């Protein structure tokens, strides 16, 4: 999974963004202040840092400058309530790759995150996940089974990506819940079983060889 660091002091916004990006198939760490964010950024390899500009200890622009002075080579998306042109320019000049003002459309936010991640994906990394004749393109998000294109919802895509990134491994319902719906989601819910059923219908129905497997009492796998 793509590792993303979110530096945001508002717990409600942090939770909203984290849950949304987790549902998209990303692994999210949260820092609630600049110093914690800098510490995590210096010890963990993140492909993207989402950085609030108005932090309680150090201004986000200064954090951005420090990250770039530390030779952080990943992408930085700055979030702020300041929408003046001068504020945007100062953020971009400090090293941010993109700049979004609050409040924002989550669909646009996800599109910008994915665009930044595409720019940061090394050419040597194969952007295609493959299981038998099933392919998932991480760049275009296109899914195909043989010659057949498969249309998926966001949740279905995130679930399929998680399964394919762990091909052959039985993933428990709790693991899938935590990855796709976030920690704290009711473990007694049947949402995992429901979405596996949706996914199985789109991926396996009509195919000679089913790929999505159920391990009774354990979880699900693909292979």
């Amino acid at each position: 999974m793509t590792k993303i660091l979110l530096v945001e002091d508002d717990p409600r916004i942090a939770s909203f963004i984290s849950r949304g990006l987790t549902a998209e198939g990303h692994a999210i760490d949260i820092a609630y202040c600049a110093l914690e964010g800098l510490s995590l950024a210096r010890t963990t390899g993140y492909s993207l840092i989402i950085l609030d500009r108005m932090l309680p200890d150090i201004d986000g622009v200064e954090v951005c400058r420090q990250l770039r002075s530390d030779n952080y080579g990943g992408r930085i998306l700055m979030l702020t309530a300041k929408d003046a042109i001068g504020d945007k320019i100062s953020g971009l000049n400090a090293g941010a790759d993109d700049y979004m003002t609050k409040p924002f459309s989550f669909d646009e936010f996800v599109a910008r995150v994915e665009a930044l991640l595409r720019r940061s994906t090394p050419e040597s990394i194969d952007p295609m996940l493959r299981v038998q004749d099933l392919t998932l393109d991480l760049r275009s998000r296109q899914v195909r089974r043989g010659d057949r294109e498969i249309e998926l919802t966001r949740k279905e895509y995130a679930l399929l990506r998680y399964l394919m990134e762990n091909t052959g491994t039985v993933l428990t319902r709790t693991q899938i819940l935590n990855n796709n719906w976030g920690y704290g989601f009711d473990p007694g819910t049947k949402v995992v079983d429901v979405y596996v059923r949706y996914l199985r219908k789109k991926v396996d129905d009509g195919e000679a060889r089913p790929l999505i497997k159920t391990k009774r009492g354990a979880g699900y796998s693909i292979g």
Side-chain angles (χ1 to χ4, degrees):
M1 292 181 291
T2 305
K3 289 191 68 66
I4 297 174
L5 173 62
L6 171 61
V7 187
E8 169 61 64
D9 66 311
D10 187 323
R12 294 174 304 162
I13 295 175
S15 176
F16 168 71
I17 292 175
S18 176
R19 289 174 68 88
L21 291 181
T22 298
E24 293 293 320
H26 303 297
I28 314 298
D29 289 338
I30 302 175
Y32 293 100
C33 69
L35 291 176
E36 183 184 6
L38 285 168
S39 176
L40 284 171
R42 288 164 177 161
T43 57
T44 307
Y46 295 105
S47 299
L48 171 67
I49 295 177
I50 301 169
L51 178 62
D52 183 26
R53 175 163 181 159
M54 299 177 68
L55 294 166
D57 47 353
I58 304 174
D59 183 84
V61 171
E62 178 58 29
V63 174
C64 194
R65 289 196 188 98
Q66 290 190 34
L67 288 169
R68 293 310 187 197
S69 68
D70 289 342
N71 295 316
Y72 170 70
R75 303 302 176 184
I76 298 175
L77 171 58
M78 188 168 287
L79 301 178
T80 182
K82 295 184 175 183
D83 59 358
I85 293 298
D87 294 320
K88 294 181 181 179
I89 291 172
S90 65
L92 295 170
N93 285 343
D97 296 283
D98 200 358
Y99 193 106
M100 285 195 74
T101 54
K102 303 173 185 175
F104 51 80
S105 157
F106 190 73
D107 286 342
E108 180 186 358
F109 172 73
V110 169
R112 293 207 192 185
V113 165
E114 297 295 345
L116 289 173
L117 290 174
R118 284 196 297 272
R119 287 165 54 189
S120 63
T121 300
E123 293 300 321
S124 59
I125 295 178
D126 189 350
M128 195 75 73
L129 298 178
R130 297 178 178 84
V131 177
Q132 303 295 331
D133 61 344
L134 177 68
T135 59
L136 184 153
D137 191 322
L138 295 172
R139 295 183 190 274
S140 67
R141 299 170 68 91
Q142 185 180 64
V143 177
R144 302 187 71 89
R145 179 85 192 261
D147 296 328
R148 176 170 61 92
E149 185 171 352
I150 301 173
E151 296 290 336
L152 300 176
T153 65
R154 281 184 182 171
K155 291 287 190 184
E156 291 166 350
Y157 173 86
L159 174 56
L160 181 62
R161 176 175 175 173
Y162 187 43
L163 289 170
M164 293 180 73
E165 287 175 333
N166 295 276
T167 299
T169 300
V170 176
L171 300 171
T172 67
R173 288 172 177 80
T174 299
Q175 286 176 310
I176 295 172
L177 273 176
N178 290 342
N179 183 80
N180 281 40
W181 282 270
Y183 291 91
F185 204 90
D186 181 5
T189 182
K190 297 293 185 182
V191 68
V192 171
D193 306 272
V194 170
Y195 271 87
V196 168
R197 187 164 66 248
Y198 292 160
L199 198 58
R200 183 174 273 144
K201 183 176 180 62
K202 292 184 177 182
V203 170
D204 284 340
D205 274 10
E207 299 289 342
R209 178 174 180 177
L211 296 178
I212 299 173
K213 300 175 173 62
T214 302
K215 182 71 172 178
R216 190 174 298 277
Y220 299 99
S221 66
I222 194 167

